[in-house]
Amino acid sequence: INYHISTAKEKDVVSTLNFIEENYFRDEPLSKNLNITQKSLKGPLEVFIVDSIKQGMTLIAKGNSSNEIIGASVNIRSCSFDGSRYGDFAKCTTSMNTKKLFHVWALLAKESRSHELLHQMCMFEIKMLAVKKECQGQKLGTELVQKSLKLARDLNFMYGLITCTNV
């Protein structure tokens, strides 16, 4: 497949959200185990992804001929106090299964102690990774992770975390 990877811009918000809705929850193991089958990112997850795009942290892969998004890596600036933010998101959603997802993320942020162990206030974190089903198995996900880690270095992060569960 021929594609190019770039930082998502504000003009890409709608197409990126649509891509994540169609491709992320279907394959992500934690979402599958929590039975999250939602097709709408309205509410906290939408805010989470839009914030990542506005911060210049999300990467998207577009097919060269179609210019359609075929892969995305939602990356965040993960700070030692961010765990409580997931709890706040959980309070804002009406879906019980999505609440569970946010509570698991909050617990992982709190219990991992990675910030404390590495003596870092903030790190680069790859939070969500999705590749269109027909493009899987062709190293696009690997390249999105590699380019995300390069972005982390370019933004002067000393450490990067990969916490998405569908790598």
Side-chain angles (χ1 to χ4, degrees):
I1 56 173
N2 293 317
Y3 58 88
H4 60 281
I5 296 175
S6 60
T7 305
K9 308 289 185 220
E10 288 206 40
K11 67 179 177 62
D12 299 311
V13 165
V14 172
S15 56
T16 301
L17 288 170
N18 288 338
F19 176 80
I20 295 291
E21 283 179 348
E22 294 170 17
N23 295 279
Y24 179 74
F25 293 106
R26 179 195 67 230
D27 294 327
E28 201 276 330
L30 183 58
S31 298
K32 285 170 100 173
N33 284 325
L34 293 175
N35 199 27
I36 297 174
T37 57
Q38 72 184 58
K39 282 297 216 175
S40 174
L41 290 176
K42 300 295 180 225
L45 281 174
E46 178 180 22
V47 170
F48 180 79
I49 294 167
V50 170
D51 282 351
S52 173
I53 293 171
K54 287 181 179 178
Q55 292 172 19
M57 305 282 273
T58 290
L59 297 180
I60 53 175
K62 290 184 176 181
N64 285 341
S65 58
S66 66
N67 210 33
E68 168 192 14
I69 295 177
I70 58 172
S73 177
V74 178
N75 307 307
I76 63 169
R77 177 182 316 271
S78 171
C79 296
S80 59
F81 48 85
D82 276 352
S84 63
R85 186 172 183 209
Y86 299 128
D88 293 340
F89 282 155
K91 293 175 191 171
C92 297
T93 186
T94 56
S95 165
M96 188 54 70
N97 290 331
T98 304
K99 281 182 191 288
K100 290 177 187 175
L101 177 64
F102 279 121
H103 284 299
V104 168
W105 282 356
L107 180 65
L108 289 173
K110 178 182 172 190
E111 295 299 323
S112 73
R113 297 181 43 232
S114 51
H115 295 87
E116 179 184 330
L117 295 172
L118 296 171
H119 306 290
Q120 295 293 309
M121 278 299 291
C122 292
M123 290 184 271
F124 186 91
E125 183 176 352
I126 301 173
K127 196 67 176 173
M128 301 172 99
L129 183 69
V131 173
K132 195 171 184 175
K133 192 167 192 84
E134 50 270 18
C135 299
Q136 291 176 1
Q138 300 180 51
K139 305 284 187 213
L140 174 55
T142 300
E143 190 170 351
L144 280 165
V145 168
Q146 290 171 341
K147 297 260 184 179
S148 292
L149 294 174
K150 182 185 179 324
L151 175 63
R153 286 189 298 277
D154 291 348
L155 295 173
N156 296 316
F157 284 94
M158 290 197 55
Y159 296 99
L161 298 170
I162 301 174
T163 57
C164 59
T165 57
N166 60 338
V167 177

